[in-house]
Amino acid sequence: MDHVELATLLTPQALRLLDDLGPVDSTADVAAAVSRLRAAGIAPELVSAVVGQARLRTRAGAKFGPFAARMLFTRAGLEQASRLSMAARHAGRFRDAGVARVADLGCGIGGDALGLAGIGLDVLAVDADEVTAAIAAYNLAPFGGAAVVRHARAEETDLSGIDAVWLDPARRSAGHGETRRTRPEDWTPSLEWALDLAARMPVGIKLGPGLDRAAIPAGVEAQWITVDGSTIELVLWSGILARPGVARAALVVQGDAAHELTAPADADDEPVRALGAYVHEPAGSVIRARLIGEVARRLDAGMLADGIAYLTSDAELTSPFVQSFRVREQLPFDVKRLGRALRERGIGTLEIKKRGVDVDPAALRPKLKLAGDDSATLLLTRIDGGRVALLADRV
């Protein structure tokens, strides 16, 4: 979206058309909406802006729920925006710390600022891109003076009167369409600048979960977050936003339920043990936080192999921090023999998971020539240095 398209969209006529259009998802929906608006005599540039925005609103429902129906988006802004549920959870950290006024530096389309303003905090939302800042201002307009939006660079923002900062560095190339990932030194603002600010005042820094752990400074809380099976982010908390005695945290959110492991440091792994009746795959946040050993001890489990994030146990235990599988049997790893064994067992539906082996599940599946009415999970990994295939069922 450029300035011209934004100006076209931010008119009473365009906003009325957008609100009246309803959900636009599929290619057929787009074609039908375009035809209907063009038949009504709407100008082509207005049709393009309204239909494109309607499609973004429909896609945004997964992140913003019913709030998406009154918001505006860019493709890149929606891609990079926090889920509203996570924004609200982060906002609660500021409120619980006694913070009253927060600066959201790099606010994007305003997703995190919505969470902050939504629980009664005053927000200064700042973005370096003029179009993005204008969209954030529209999205935050219902909060009036409690949410002020400025077009400015994070590094140049006056933080006088600000109690704490939420910082989401732009980790992709600039633009409102497709973007690409960049290096930490090229982020806007840079990771170095963000960490320097965190050393001087309470800050929450939203980062990708794969950040090099060597870049995490001492004295901050590092919280990795898994939502509905996907590990989505790492947040570094400093000052009063960091919990005492917590340096590593793994938050696992599944639907409306949330569970968290915390520790003062990385946890030691449990020793390797022989394959038991169960195999457990820790959540990505647990793996990234290096709290696998803590989960293993809770499950009376050990490592299946050195350097591979699978646990094994005989105890009938599971937890929110793992996916658990009951092992049926160990099968030959050879593709032809493996396929024959699966067909003999009538397995036509197969989930394939792997750790520690160079196998492409999508390429392997057709080679197995599955047939039958049964379903199972196949775990491909290494034990004692050799490749193994474990036929299992989800617990």
Side-chain angles (χ1 to χ4, degrees), residues 227-308:
V227 178
D228 296 332
S230 297
T231 302
I232 61 170
E233 64 191 34
L234 160 65
V235 181
L236 302 182
W237 301 99
S238 76
I240 59 173
L241 299 174
R243 292 169 289 187
V246 177
R248 300 288 180 261
L251 177 64
V252 175
V253 179
Q254 191 73 37
D256 295 329
H259 307 270
E260 190 172 29
L261 282 175
T262 62
D266 296 352
D268 293 332
D269 286 344
E270 284 292 284
V272 172
R273 56 154 292 175
L275 175 65
Y278 297 88
V279 169
H280 310 278
E281 181 181 33
S285 55
V286 173
I287 297 171
R288 297 281 189 183
R290 294 186 183 169
L291 298 179
I292 298 174
E294 179 62 28
V295 174
R297 287 180 278 279
R298 295 186 181 198
L299 297 175
D300 193 19
M303 303 298 294
L304 187 60
D306 282 326
I308 295 178

Side-chain angles (χ1 to χ4, degrees), residues 129-155:
D129 181 78
E130 188 174 8
V131 170
T132 303
I135 289 177
Y138 179 89
N139 292 337
L140 293 166
F143 296 101
V148 176
V149 180
R150 292 181 187 165
H151 168 222
R153 297 178 68 241
E155 302 93 325

Side-chain angles (χ1 to χ4, degrees), residues 91-100 202 240-242:
R93 174 88 67 130
F94 289 87
R95 179 197 56 203
D96 295 346
V99 167
I240 59 173
L241 299 174

Side-chain angles (χ1 to χ4, degrees), residues 356-377:
V357 292
D358 186 15
V359 175
D360 180 359
L364 173 63
R365 186 181 304 279
K367 296 178 182 178
L368 297 175
K369 300 177 182 179
L370 301 170
D373 298 325
D374 199 2
S375 61
T377 297

Side-chain angles (χ1 to χ4, degrees), residues 106-149:
C107 67
I109 60 171
D112 287 297
L114 281 170
L116 293 162
I119 62 169
L121 302 180
D122 288 337
V123 183
L124 171 61
V126 176
D127 201 273
D129 181 78
E130 188 174 8
V131 170
T132 303
I135 289 177
Y138 179 89
N139 292 337
L140 293 166
F143 296 101
V148 176
V149 180

Side-chain angles (χ1 to χ4, degrees), residues 69-103:
R70 68 144 310 275
M71 296 174 66
L72 297 180
F73 303 93
T74 64
R75 286 193 299 274
L78 176 57
E79 175 188 339
Q80 297 164 30
S82 298
R83 294 167 170 84
L84 189 55
S85 59
M86 290 311 305
R89 187 174 295 277
H90 296 327
R93 174 88 67 130
F94 289 87
R95 179 197 56 203
D96 295 346
V99 167
R101 192 157 191 254
V102 181

